[in-house]
Amino acid sequence: MRIGVLLTMGFLEAEVAPVLDAARILREAGSELEAFTLAKSRHALEGAAGSVWTAKYALSARPRLDVLVVPGSLGLARAGRDLQVELWFDEVWDELQAVFLGANGPVFLGELGRVPQLVAAHPAYADEVKRYAKLGHETAYAVGKVTTTAGYLFLLGVLLDHLQAAGFDIEPVLSQMALAFD
C-alpha cells in the first residue's frame, strides 16, 4: 500500500510526523507499506511550527497512490484553489482507496468541490471549516472514501484503523508509539 502525505505551506508537523513514523514502524516490521511526502513542487515548505521540509515527490512525478493524507495546514485554501493541484487531484481521485483529512482538511476538499456535507475538524479551525461544510461534534466522520478528523492523533487513529481493516498488523505501532485507541 502506498500512502502519500500532501504538504502545503504551513502544514502541521504534528500530523505529518506520526503518520510517517507509523508507516516506518510497519515497514520495519515487514509490512508492504510505503509512505512518502508530496507537494506541488520539491521546493522547501515551512510548517506551522517553523520546521522546513522538502517533499520527496512533486505532484507531477509521484508514484501511484492508494491513500492520500492531507494534514491540516495554514495554506489549504490556497492549495485547493491552485489549478495544478486541482488537475492533479482530479487525476488521482478515482485511484484513491481513501482520503484522510487533518485538523482543517475539509477546507482543501471544499475548494476542490469534493467536501462531504458533514465533517469533523479541530475546534481552532471551526469558523474556517464551516464555510465549506456542516461541522459535526464527533472527532471523525467517514463519507465514502473521505474521512475528516479533528486532526492530530485523531488523524493517526483513523489511518491506523484503515490499515488494520486492510489486514495490516498495527500492534507494532501501538506498542512502539505507546498508543491506545478505542
Side-chain angles (χ1 to χ4, degrees):
M1 178 178 292
R2 288 186 172 152
I3 301 171
V5 181
L6 181 65
L7 300 182
T8 58
M9 189 58 76
F11 65 92
L12 296 175
E13 295 97 323
E15 291 184 2
V16 176
V19 167
L20 295 175
D21 206 34
R24 176 194 59 80
I25 292 166
L26 291 173
R27 190 175 50 258
E28 288 174 355
S31 294
E32 294 290 323
L33 185 82
E34 179 185 3
F36 48 83
T37 54
L38 57 144
K40 181 178 173 183
S41 71
R42 293 209 62 235
H43 292 101
L45 291 168
E46 185 173 353
S51 67
V52 178
W53 293 29
T54 301
K56 183 171 184 172
Y57 296 105
L59 297 181
S60 61
R62 55 92 188 120
R64 181 190 55 77
L65 299 174
D66 301 306
V67 173
L68 177 65
V69 175
V70 181
S73 171
L74 304 175
L76 281 181
R78 182 176 177 191
R81 288 189 300 268
D82 185 286
L83 181 59
Q84 182 180 350
V85 174
E86 180 182 357
L87 292 172
W88 165 80
F89 193 77
D90 287 345
E91 177 186 324
V92 300
W93 176 255
D94 288 336
E95 72 186 43
L96 293 171
Q97 296 171 8
V99 177
F100 296 97
L101 304 177
N104 65 336
V107 170
F108 179 70
L109 287 189
E111 288 292 339
L112 293 170
R114 293 184 186 261
V115 70
Q117 290 182 335
L118 181 66
V119 299
H122 191 280
Y125 301 101
D127 290 338
E128 178 185 23
V129 169
K130 285 179 187 175
R131 286 185 256 155
Y132 300 93
K134 181 178 180 194
L135 186 59
H137 299 290
E138 301 296 325
T139 57
Y141 289 100
V143 178
K145 68 170 85 177
V146 175
T147 300
T148 59
T149 73
Y152 298 90
L153 289 180
F154 296 113
L155 175 60
L156 177 60
V158 298
L159 178 62
L160 290 174
D161 287 346
H162 176 77
L163 292 173
Q164 187 173 42
F168 290 91
D169 176 12
I170 65 167
E171 188 56 39
V173 175
L174 299 177
S175 63
Q176 191 166 337
M177 294 177 99
L179 299 171
F181 291 105
D182 292 333

